[in-house]
Amino acid sequence: QITYETSSKAIFIGSQPGQALYLTEELIPKQEFYGTIVKLDYVDKLKMLGTSYDTGFVVESGGVIEFQLDEKYEKLTMDMGITGRVASKAVIPVEIYRDGRLYDTYFLLGSDNSPKKIELSLKGIQSLKIQLDDWDEGTANVALGNPMITKMVSQ
C-alpha cells in the first residue's frame, strides 16, 4: 500500500502513522507454549456471547503470546472474552505484560462472560505479552476480538 499525503507532501509505504490497523495483519506474534499448546487462530469470524468479530486470536489455557513492538505503536484496543463452555464459578486470569513487567491482570468471570473493552497504552513499549494462567473449569478459551493497534505519529 502506497499513499500520498498532500498536506505534508509525505509518501507512506505500508500504513500511515496514527492509523489504526488490525493487530492480526500488522504484527506476527511470537508464540510460547506453557503446558497446553497455544491455539493461535487468525479467524474469519470470531464469536463471543453472540457478538461477531472480523478477526482475532483464540488462546487456550496456559497460553502465552508476545508481540515485538519496538516503540512504534501508541495504543491497542480490543474486546476480551470467553469462548466455549465454562462453569459459572470460573475465574480466568489474563495477565498483560509490557516490557517484561506485569502491567495489569484482567479477570474473566464465568458468571458474566460478556466481552470486556480493553485499551492499552503502548507508548515507548518494546514488547507486549498476554499470558493466560491454567484453568480447568470447562472447555472455554479466551478470545481477543478485533484487536486494533495504532501506529505512533512521529514528532
Side-chain angles (χ1 to χ4, degrees):
Q1 170 186 354
I2 300 174
T3 55
Y4 177 72
E5 185 179 276
T6 55
S7 61
S8 65
K9 296 183 180 176
I11 296 174
F12 296 101
I13 299 174
S15 58
Q16 296 182 32
Q19 180 181 12
L21 307 161
Y22 281 127
L23 176 64
T24 51
E25 296 172 4
E26 180 70 10
L27 294 171
I28 302 298
K30 173 184 165 186
Q31 301 179 47
E32 296 181 24
F33 306 101
Y34 289 2
T36 304
I37 293 176
V38 174
K39 181 183 178 191
L40 182 59
D41 288 340
Y42 293 95
V43 292
D44 291 331
K45 286 290 179 188
L46 175 68
K47 287 191 178 184
M48 283 187 274
L49 201 63
T51 303
S52 291
Y53 296 88
D54 292 327
T55 187
F57 299 103
V58 178
V59 186
E60 291 180 348
S61 171
V64 176
I65 53 176
E66 186 170 358
F67 298 92
Q68 194 62 38
L69 304 175
D70 299 324
E71 299 184 18
K72 296 178 183 175
Y73 301 93
E74 188 172 327
K75 71 178 176 177
L76 169 67
T77 59
M78 63 183 166
D79 285 0
M80 183 181 348
I82 299 171
T83 63
R85 295 173 50 192
V86 65
S88 63
K89 65 181 180 175
V91 177
I92 302 171
V94 181
E95 296 175 339
I96 307 291
Y97 291 83
R98 297 184 321 173
D99 291 338
R101 292 189 207 115
L102 181 63
Y103 172 72
D104 207 345
T105 302
Y106 295 91
F107 294 95
L108 303 178
L109 306 176
S111 60
D112 173 24
N113 59 0
S114 57
K116 298 184 180 327
K117 300 261 184 223
I118 306 293
E119 184 172 316
L120 302 171
S121 173
L122 300 177
K123 291 179 183 173
I125 302 299
Q126 291 287 328
S127 66
L128 174 73
K129 180 168 73 170
I130 301 170
Q131 179 172 314
L132 311 178
D133 288 339
D134 287 319
W135 69 89
D136 57 5
E137 301 287 341
T139 58
N141 298 313
V142 170
L144 311 175
N146 286 355
M148 301 292 289
I149 195 161
T150 305
K151 281 193 158 191
M152 291 291 289
V153 177
S154 56
Q155 303 294 334

